[in-house]
Amino acid sequence: MSQPVQPPNQPQQPYGQPVDGNPYAGGPGQGAPSAPTGNPYGQQGPGAPYGQQPPSGNPFAGQQPDQQAPFGGGAPFAPAPPARDNLLLGIGVALGVAIVAGTLYGVLAGSIEREVGYAAVGVGFLVGFAASKLGGSNPVIVAAAAVFSIGAVYLGQLVGISMVLADVAQIPFSEVVGDHFDTVTKAWSAEADFMTYLFLALGAVAAVGGAKKAG
């Protein structure tokens, strides 16, 4: 007997029957493949080497707030603490500036053979400002600057008198200071008046003002 003829095999669709003209739609019981997007990393899972890039294109957008970005990212540097008062430095600066400023003040007074009140004020202000600027606003530094300013003005007065005596006696200035310093101090005591002491006080007051200005 002849065998019954089997109907021809139906054509097989590898991805299922197209639905609504979509060649990628899956058939019954079969998942549809994803449409190509052109991104080779688009379908990688959380464990992929590069991960899925965020839509914004920022490679650091997915980081947590507590994570630091590379190349120096993270919290800014904390400001440096303010410098502490340096007592020894302030006193040393006050002494050095007082010697230099007092000598210059004496040269000026000896050159014009008179004292200048503004110069005495300038000496005190310079001593107080420099000491407080470099050493701090410690009250001890301010007090030292005031005392050294009085000494600076006094030193300037002695230098001025020495220059005048050297000019009158026609002897070198170094000889007056080295060999006749007692004569210089006696001349200062004889010539001292209200203005002489006023200039000393002005130097101290100016030193306090200079220290406050620097602070």
Side-chain angles (χ1 to χ4, degrees), residues 113-145:
E113 296 185 0
R114 67 179 62 184
E115 293 186 71
V116 182
Y118 290 110
V121 172
V123 169
F125 183 87
L126 183 61
V127 172
F129 184 86
S132 183
K133 191 69 175 179
L134 298 179
S137 57
N138 192 302
V140 177
I141 296 178
V142 178

Side-chain angles (χ1 to χ4, degrees), residues 184-215:
V184 175
T185 56
K186 290 178 180 179
W188 181 89
S189 299
E191 296 293 334
D193 55 6
F194 172 77
M195 296 302 296
T196 302
Y197 295 104
L198 178 61
F199 290 157
L200 296 176
L202 288 177
V205 173
V208 176
K212 291 182 178 180
K213 186 68 174 180

Side-chain angles (χ1 to χ4, degrees), residues 74-104:
F77 292 102
R84 297 181 178 178
D85 292 337
N86 193 326
L87 186 62
L88 295 180
L89 177 61
I91 295 177
V93 170
L95 179 60
V97 175
I99 294 175
V100 175
T103 302
L104 295 178

